[in-house]
Amino acid sequence: MAISPAPVIYLVEPFGGSVRRQNVNMPHVFWDDAVVTRGDGVFESILIRDGKPVNLDKHLDRFVRSAALMDLPEPGREYWVRATEEAVADYCRERGGEEGVEAKCVWTLSRGRETTGVPTAWLSVRPIPEEVYRQRERGVSVLTTSRGYTVTGKASWMRESAKTLNYAATMAALRWAKSEGADDVIYVDETGRVLEGATSSVIMVKKGGRLRTPAPGPGVMAGTTQAALFELASSEGWKCKAKDIYHGELLKAESVWLVSSTRIATRVKRLDGTKLPAPDNESEIRELIYRAVN
Amino acid sequence: MAISPAPVIYLVEPFGGSVRRQNVNMPHVFWDDAVVTRGDGVFESILIRDGKPVNLDKHLDRFVRSAALMDLPEPGREYWVRATEEAVADYCRERGGEEGVEAKCVWTLSRGRETTGVPTAWLSVRPIPEEVYRQRERGVSVLTTSRGYTVTGKASWMRESAKTLNYAATMAALRWAKSEGADDVIYVDETGRVLEGATSSVIMVKKGGRLRTPAPGPGVMAGTTQAALFELASSEGWKCKAKDIYHGELLKAESVWLVSSTRIATRVKRLDGTKLPAPDNESEIRELIYRAVN
């Protein structure tokens, strides 16, 4: 990859207004924006591969669903698609072409400024962090941890399945993992049931060509990469199931993976200090996941 | 109060740099600020009365504590005090003097831009919303609700007591309350134990000059207004206790109040649809709370 010029930012006016490039060296978020004062907004992270957004429909679906759950105005699909296309085209052109260009595109929709009541929306396209490349290649060391809270599902207004910007606790968990010499966390509940990674879905590979992931629900965000993987894998004869996984099962699996849009796939090489040996089919699995996001 | 000119914003450079006014019509938060991408920052809301910040030491203490809990750099107390004084002085001057000037000052400390790693910090001084005045005067109708999750205290990295910007769930709870015709919520846990308001502490007044509030801990933020109230009330002979309150007790109390920096005190007039009649000592209690934040 060429040495990267600046990221590309596009503002997306709500309600079908203009889509336009924003100078990356100028701030555009106001002090009274709900995203700043309350973390009150939703987002999506989309992988760009060879100059094309991956899994675009799944991200659009989840973005629209998150917005609806949070009583935000419905994002106009056509505007987000157009803004993404334009921003990615700029990004690639400024790097000499689409080929081999990989990037991370983030969509943000905020409830907007308190003083105007108009939602703020934009997207950024930027290089994939070096750490992500390292983790794809080398795998990760993971600690399991409680989330610190249990979702009870007893509040009708609770919007657990919306992908909001409230990641302070997630960041604290990751700082803790790093301070313990690990790379990431997998959340488990009080009963040892596996939920998800800090910013990824957990995939367990079992003997006999079986793939498992915890079913989406309280504490488990529906993953776009996981969904794409299961679609492809099922069509190729893998037995794919979204059902409960318990902590002990991870240690006995053929392999355990964290999958997410940006990181695609990273194998869990160490879980709570225990080495998880590489399976014979490591490259087959990795390739399967990569093909799922092609 | 005079018709208000624009709010006043001051940027507070971290590590003891400059404190300077920011044009309120210009955005200053970047797209890659942690507060925007992760809600990763801490804040305080401070009441300004007659041109003076109220309970300043308590807010400084909690701000420093929140920052430490979130592994943010320690806010330099002298810079925040100076920035607050300068901003409030500007605010009052632009409104013709300090007398009778009431305002809301919000401090924000963000982990800062991903591309620079330098924390972003600023404060705003702005008018108290009209709704707050109405609620102070007329009281509020409140619904009790589960928080939607239970804090388990089982994650060592969890920073429940930090005042972070992750308020998306709180805002959803308030939208729900409003959609049900109420003004606010009081969170209760699975056992009916009272926790706190959406953005306030719960105070219960009982016969015999007794004040009660739920003890701070998981799910209950330590309140600066509550603390000031208990200090003053104790010194005047009220029996003040921070201990568990159960839902049923609220209905039998002499009166129930929500207290917070900006709102000061609002009486709960209706709880889950049941009218809570005004006690004989309503104005005495209100006056007591107001004197506590003088």
Side-chain angles (χ1 to χ4, degrees):
Chain A
M1 226 174 45
I3 287 170
S4 63
V8 172
I9 314 294
Y10 264 71
L11 305 184
V12 183
E13 282 192 2
F15 316 121
S18 81
V19 158
R20 61 177 186 277
R21 186 142 177 195
Q22 161 76 16
N23 183 332
V24 72
N25 296 312
M26 298 286 283
H28 74 270
V29 185
F30 279 85
W31 62 280
D32 66 339
D33 196 291
V35 90
V36 166
T37 55
R38 303 293 190 187
D40 197 0
V42 297
F43 78 107
E44 283 294 321
S45 291
I46 299 124
L47 177 66
I48 309 297
R49 287 183 84 186
D50 280 330
K52 300 277 177 297
V54 168
N55 258 337
L56 192 56
D57 284 343
K58 287 191 177 59
H59 286 292
L60 276 167
D61 289 347
R62 190 168 63 182
F63 197 49
V64 168
R65 199 162 64 237
S66 292
L69 282 166
M70 299 304 289
D71 303 317
L72 287 163
E74 185 175 344
R77 287 170 179 259
E78 64 276 31
Y79 299 104
W80 286 92
V81 170
R82 203 177 87 210
T84 303
E85 283 170 357
E86 290 189 21
V88 170
D90 288 1
Y91 187 90
C92 291
R93 192 173 49 247
E94 288 160 23
R95 279 150 186 86
E98 291 179 5
E99 209 183 300
V101 168
E102 209 178 8
K104 178 185 181 175
C105 174
V106 177
W107 298 342
T108 306
L109 171 61
S110 156
R111 200 171 304 279
R113 297 190 62 187
E114 208 176 311
T115 38
T116 66
V118 178
T120 320
W122 71 93
L123 61 82
S124 63
V125 184
R126 56 192 305 201
I128 308 272
E130 282 307 318
E131 194 190 16
V132 169
Y133 287 112
R134 271 200 306 276
Q135 293 190 355
R136 284 183 188 171
E137 223 172 274
R138 298 185 201 165
V140 284
S141 168
V142 170
L143 299 177
T144 57
T145 175
S146 161
R147 224 182 236 294
Y149 60 87
T150 308
V151 178
T152 61
K154 293 211 175 152
S156 60
W157 48 264
M158 191 72 175
R159 300 295 182 251
E160 240 282 304
S161 47
K163 201 169 164 67
T164 75
L165 293 156
N166 285 205
Y167 271 65
T170 307
M171 295 296 110
L174 287 173
R175 284 196 302 279
W176 166 76
K178 273 158 201 177
S179 76
E180 299 282 322
D183 303 299
D184 209 329
V185 301
I186 290 179
Y187 294 116
V188 292
D189 78 4
E190 309 289 285
T191 67
R193 191 168 58 93
V194 172
L195 301 172
E196 60 188 3
T199 61
S200 57
S201 309
V202 176
I203 305 288
M204 181 171 78
V205 183
K206 297 183 74 175
K207 263 183 282 198
R210 289 178 295 161
L211 300 182
R212 288 258 292 274
T213 195
V220 185
M221 172 75 59
T224 54
T225 306
Q226 173 272 318
L229 168 63
F230 273 32
E231 281 170 23
L232 176 69
S234 297
S235 79
E236 299 191 354
W238 293 78
K239 296 179 209 92
C240 299
K241 258 191 198 162
K243 60 174 270 198
D244 289 350
I245 297 174
Y246 286 85
H247 184 268
E249 294 180 82
L250 294 180
L251 296 165
K252 286 181 258 163
E254 274 194 353
S255 57
V256 179
W257 300 75
L258 297 180
V259 303
S260 69
S261 299
T262 311
R263 205 158 40 173
I264 307 180
T266 181
R267 190 170 74 78
V268 179
K269 292 178 76 173
R270 202 170 267 280
L271 186 73
D272 295 328
T274 301
K275 196 166 178 237
L276 304 184
D280 295 339
N281 61 356
E282 180 169 15
S283 27
E284 183 192 357
I285 304 285
R286 180 174 288 109
E287 204 203 299
L288 179 69
I289 306 174
Y290 272 69
R291 281 192 292 120
V293 295
N294 226 344
Chain B
M1 225 174 43
I3 286 170
S4 62
V8 172
I9 314 294
Y10 263 71
L11 304 183
V12 184
E13 281 192 2
F15 315 122
S18 81
V19 158
R20 62 178 186 278
R21 185 139 178 199
Q22 161 76 18
N23 183 333
V24 73
N25 296 312
M26 298 286 283
H28 74 270
V29 185
F30 279 85
W31 60 281
D32 66 339
D33 197 291
V35 89
V36 167
T37 56
R38 304 292 191 189
D40 197 0
V42 297
F43 78 107
E44 284 293 322
S45 291
I46 300 124
L47 177 65
I48 310 297
R49 287 183 82 185
D50 280 330
K52 299 276 178 298
V54 169
N55 258 335
L56 193 56
D57 284 343
K58 286 191 178 59
H59 286 292
L60 275 167
D61 289 348
R62 191 168 62 181
F63 197 48
V64 168
R65 199 162 65 237
S66 291
L69 283 166
M70 298 304 290
D71 303 316
L72 288 163
E74 185 175 344
R77 286 170 179 261
E78 64 276 32
Y79 299 105
W80 286 93
V81 170
R82 204 178 85 212
T84 304
E85 282 168 358
E86 290 189 21
V88 170
D90 288 2
Y91 187 90
C92 291
R93 191 173 50 247
E94 289 160 21
R95 279 151 186 84
E98 290 178 6
E99 210 185 297
V101 167
E102 208 178 8
K104 178 184 182 177
C105 174
V106 177
W107 296 343
T108 306
L109 172 60
S110 156
R111 199 171 305 278
R113 297 190 63 186
E114 208 177 312
T115 40
T116 66
V118 178
T120 320
W122 71 93
L123 62 81
S124 63
V125 184
R126 58 192 305 200
I128 309 271
E130 282 306 318
E131 192 190 18
V132 169
Y133 287 112
R134 271 200 306 277
Q135 293 190 355
R136 285 183 189 170
E137 223 172 272
R138 298 185 200 165
V140 283
S141 168
V142 170
L143 298 177
T144 58
T145 175
S146 161
R147 222 181 235 296
Y149 61 87
T150 308
V151 179
T152 61
K154 293 213 174 149
S156 61
W157 48 264
M158 192 72 176
R159 301 296 183 252
E160 240 283 304
S161 48
K163 202 170 163 66
T164 74
L165 293 156
N166 286 204
Y167 272 64
T170 307
M171 294 297 110
L174 287 174
R175 283 196 302 279
W176 166 76
K178 274 159 201 176
S179 76
E180 300 282 321
D183 303 299
D184 209 330
V185 302
I186 290 180
Y187 294 116
V188 293
D189 78 4
E190 308 289 284
T191 67
R193 191 168 58 92
V194 172
L195 302 171
E196 60 189 3
T199 61
S200 58
S201 309
V202 175
I203 305 288
M204 180 171 78
V205 183
K206 297 182 74 173
K207 263 183 283 199
R210 290 177 295 161
L211 300 182
R212 288 259 291 276
T213 195
V220 186
M221 173 74 60
T224 54
T225 306
Q226 173 273 319
L229 168 63
F230 273 32
E231 281 170 24
L232 176 70
S234 298
S235 79
E236 299 190 354
W238 291 79
K239 296 179 208 92
C240 300
K241 257 191 199 162
K243 62 173 269 199
D244 288 350
I245 297 174
Y246 286 85
H247 184 270
E249 293 180 83
L250 294 181
L251 296 166
K252 287 181 259 163
E254 275 193 352
S255 57
V256 180
W257 300 76
L258 297 180
V259 303
S260 69
S261 298
T262 311
R263 206 158 37 173
I264 308 179
T266 182
R267 190 170 74 77
V268 179
K269 292 177 76 174
R270 200 170 269 279
L271 186 73
D272 295 327
T274 301
K275 196 166 180 237
L276 304 184
D280 294 340
N281 61 357
E282 180 170 13
S283 30
E284 184 193 357
I285 304 285
R286 181 174 287 110
E287 203 202 300
L288 179 68
I289 306 175
Y290 272 70
R291 280 191 293 118
V293 295
N294 227 343

